[in-house]
Amino acid sequence: MADDGTHNTHHEAEVVIIGAGLCGVAAVVALRRAGVDDVLVLEKSARLGGTWRDNTYPGCGCDVPSLLYEYSFAPHRWSRSFARQPEILDYLATTAATHGVDRAVRYNTEVRSVRWNPRAHRWNLQTTTGAYTARVVIVATGPWHQPRVPDIPGLDTFPGAVFHSARWNHELDLTGQRVAVVGTGASTVQFLPEIQPQAAHLDVFQSTPQWVLPKPDFPFPAALHDVLARHPAARHALRGLQHCTQEAIGVPLRHPRLLRPLETMARLHLRSSVRDPALRRALAPGYRLGVRRLITSSTYYTALGRPNVALHPTRVTAVEGSEVIGADGSRTAADVIVLATGYRIGDLPLAAHLHGTDGTLAQAWADNRRAYLGTSVSGYPNLFLLLGPNLLNGTIAVPTVLEAQLRYVTAALTHLRAGGAAALDVRPEAEAAHQRALHKALRTTVYNSADRPEGGYYFGLPGINTFCWPWSTARLVKRLEAFDPDVYTWTLPLPNQSGAQPGQVAEGLQGRRP
């Protein structure tokens, strides 16, 4: 059983990883394979899993094909083409147990502050179970961390149950209930077909219609499993085909002039699934496909057409008693309100408590969340972000990005260990150059074509796209696999280690390779 971290007040490790979700589990395995064994994982919850632990709403699953949503070092016998949340969570737990990740995890340990000590070249972490010191910190909390709860006047006085889809209330029986769903994003598309047969009536409030592509989701037959098990080349070929399909979808998102066939497919899906012309008009988007998160489903439109479901093409402006009020003036009685309003994408709650060489990460990111290759932030030595800013988009499979990032991180640690330096810090000019190239490339993609980018899915508060990678997956992997020590400054150890002065930049070590 993993140590809960409560019997000691101070702990030391070469590397501390914050978060034991998809990223944290992979990071432990990658570090150990690179020869870094002194690793601890700090997890605020009582079990691992991250977003797959927290999101348990009916129908919750992955929008990426199952064979692409697995670690390269842990192939899995998936039950269906697009895995559901329970299977993914079980996969993470099984993989962690198989690779001994649990031994490194300190559960029920919430990080309260992370502060760089420039004299010791160490990170000091304060947590709910004591203090930790680490040479390197890896932030593995992920971008889907903090549910977005709308500020709706009167919501706190609603007499019935209210909960966010990311915190689903499984104790509540929806049978015979009047349910108001606020939002029509990815979670609603998944849970609506599941709860529609139970509820007496469903009122779905849609502020913006979504582009929805058909989803080829089906159980894998036993015969297919047998073939894939006997012929690894066949499994590899199937994964390759799925990867190429994802990349093919990504091409028009980067080059909007090629979007028409994809948009036509989505419109045909809408027309064939919804017979009511008025409902079709309400569900038809007025913006280009890809501006918002790409959504796939073959059951959502059908559920919306059921007699006990009503679509309200309006945002919710208030709640009065048991009535939900739309911006169009409509009033709808409800027993339950489900807030399907997504996450604060890219927000890092820890940023306000993460102190680098000159202030907090929240201060550094006040005008723009940024990181060199989504991984290193200038002024935060020996710190790495997993799935940091501008590394994802609508089609890239997260494990592909994650494993490429971990190869980059382990290469950096190998240089740090072998080169005799105490710390590495990405040069501000390298970070700035990367940002300029990134945002120049984004300008011509569909990701940056929102009418109101300050409110778009991919945009931060200043109206800057802080989520999307504007190039191909192959280019992303190639960049992350080519660790360049010259973009970092390398600092010598303390006097009691080598005789150098504290904080001395090791010019002779810049660019040195082991």
Side-chain angles (χ1 to χ4, degrees):
M1 178 179 292
D3 180 4
D4 65 5
T6 59
H7 60 277
N8 289 318
T9 58
H10 189 88
H11 315 261
E12 294 186 5
E14 182 175 7
V15 180
V16 162
I17 300 167
I18 303 175
L22 182 77
C23 294
V25 171
V28 173
V29 176
L31 287 168
R32 286 177 176 167
R33 289 187 168 189
V36 183
D37 297 315
D38 186 10
V39 180
L40 289 178
V41 184
L42 307 183
E43 170 54 53
K44 68 178 182 179
S45 300
R47 60 184 302 200
L48 58 77
T51 189
W52 297 111
R53 174 199 61 229
D54 296 341
N55 284 272
T56 60
Y57 58 81
C60 179
C62 190
D63 284 332
V64 172
S66 302
L67 292 180
L68 299 181
Y69 205 84
E70 64 182 17
Y71 303 127
S72 62
F73 57 84
H76 181 65
R77 184 185 173 100
W78 297 102
S79 65
R80 58 189 311 113
S81 56
F82 288 83
R84 299 287 177 86
Q85 175 268 339
E87 186 174 11
I88 297 173
L89 184 60
D90 181 69
Y91 169 72
L92 292 177
T94 301
T95 302
T98 301
H99 292 270
V101 173
D102 265 345
R103 297 195 306 270
V105 183
R106 303 298 177 259
Y107 292 104
N108 299 307
T109 300
E110 182 175 1
V111 177
R112 296 289 177 81
S113 72
V114 184
R115 190 179 296 271
W116 176 249
N117 182 336
R119 295 190 62 84
H121 300 131
R122 291 291 187 274
W123 286 101
N124 295 326
L125 300 91
Q126 296 298 324
T127 78
T128 53
T129 59
Y132 289 76
T133 300
R135 185 185 192 189
V136 173
V137 168
I138 298 176
V139 180
T141 53
W144 298 281
H145 182 79
Q146 190 173 16
R148 184 185 295 276
V149 179
D151 183 14
I152 302 174
L155 183 64
D156 57 343
T157 64
F158 180 72
V162 179
F163 56 89
H164 194 280
S165 59
R167 304 291 183 265
W168 195 270
N169 183 356
H170 291 278
E171 296 181 359
L172 180 66
D173 185 2
L174 296 180
T175 303
Q177 302 272 12
R178 298 172 299 177
V179 182
V181 178
V182 181
T184 54
S187 58
T188 299
V189 168
Q190 291 186 346
F191 73 68
L192 188 73
E194 301 292 323
I195 68 172
Q196 175 269 320
Q198 306 169 29
H201 193 78
L202 279 164
D203 289 285
V204 182
F205 289 84
Q206 169 193 270
S207 60
T208 306
Q210 303 282 354
W211 286 97
V212 181
L213 290 168
K215 186 175 187 176
D217 186 20
F218 54 87
F220 281 146
L224 177 60
H225 278 304
D226 292 341
V227 170
L228 298 181
R230 289 198 305 268
H231 305 285
R235 192 180 198 277
H236 180 74
L238 182 56
R239 286 189 86 248
L241 177 62
Q242 291 180 335
H243 174 76
C244 289
T245 300
Q246 294 292 110
E247 285 298 283
I249 295 172
V251 170
L253 300 182
R254 298 194 300 274
H255 307 283
R257 68 184 183 279
L258 304 175
L259 265 174
R260 191 173 299 277
L262 210 56
E263 291 177 337
T264 299
M265 181 190 299
R267 290 193 182 99
L268 288 174
H269 178 47
L270 173 59
R271 179 175 293 275
S272 64
S273 303
V274 179
R275 294 183 177 180
D276 182 356
L279 181 56
R280 277 206 307 268
R281 285 194 296 272
L283 290 168
Y287 55 91
R288 302 304 304 273
L289 184 148
V291 167
R292 293 173 176 265
R293 179 178 177 179
L294 200 61
I295 291 177
T296 59
S297 175
S298 296
T299 56
Y300 175 60
Y301 284 150
T302 302
L304 283 174
R306 298 300 186 192
N308 65 330
V309 180
L311 179 73
H312 301 264
T314 182
R315 61 186 178 87
V316 173
T317 56
V319 174
E320 291 183 3
S322 60
E323 290 188 320
V324 180
I325 303 172
D328 60 357
S330 62
R331 306 175 75 93
T332 305
D335 304 312
V336 179
I337 296 177
V338 179
L339 303 173
T341 45
Y343 280 90
R344 302 183 65 85
I345 300 298
D347 280 8
L348 185 66
L350 187 62
H353 310 286
L354 208 167
H355 301 261
T357 58
D358 186 23
T360 67
L361 185 59
Q363 292 168 333
W365 281 358
D367 61 340
N368 176 20
R369 293 191 294 268
R370 58 188 180 274
Y372 179 75
L373 293 178
T375 307
S376 298
V377 182
S378 183
Y380 295 82
N382 292 7
L383 182 130
F384 301 96
L385 308 176
L386 296 183
L387 303 185
N390 295 103
L391 275 185
L392 300 171
N393 56 36
T395 60
I396 294 179
V398 169
T400 300
V401 179
L402 175 59
E403 293 196 32
Q405 254 195 305
L406 288 170
R407 288 191 289 272
Y408 184 92
V409 172
T410 53
L413 295 188
T414 298
H415 278 78
L416 189 65
R417 283 174 143 199
L424 77 167
D425 190 5
V426 68
R427 296 176 182 273
E429 60 270 23
E431 181 183 83
H434 173 65
Q435 287 294 301
R436 286 193 299 271
L438 183 83
H439 291 290
K440 180 181 179 181
L442 276 169
R443 285 201 297 267
T444 60
T445 69
V446 74
Y447 306 123
N448 270 33
S449 60
D451 293 333
R452 293 188 302 111
E454 70 276 5
Y457 178 83
Y458 299 123
F459 290 78
L461 290 177
I464 300 173
N465 189 326
T466 58
F467 188 86
C468 292
W469 174 261
W471 300 292
S472 68
T473 303
R475 180 166 175 171
L476 172 63
V477 171
K478 184 177 180 180
R479 288 291 305 275
L480 285 170
E481 288 185 340
F483 176 76
D484 182 5
D486 290 333
V487 303
Y488 291 85
T489 58
W490 301 79
T491 306
L492 287 170
L494 287 170
N496 61 3
Q497 295 171 309
S498 68
Q501 294 300 311
Q504 178 180 341
V505 175
E507 295 295 337
L509 289 176
Q510 291 175 19
R512 175 188 289 183
R513 299 176 185 272

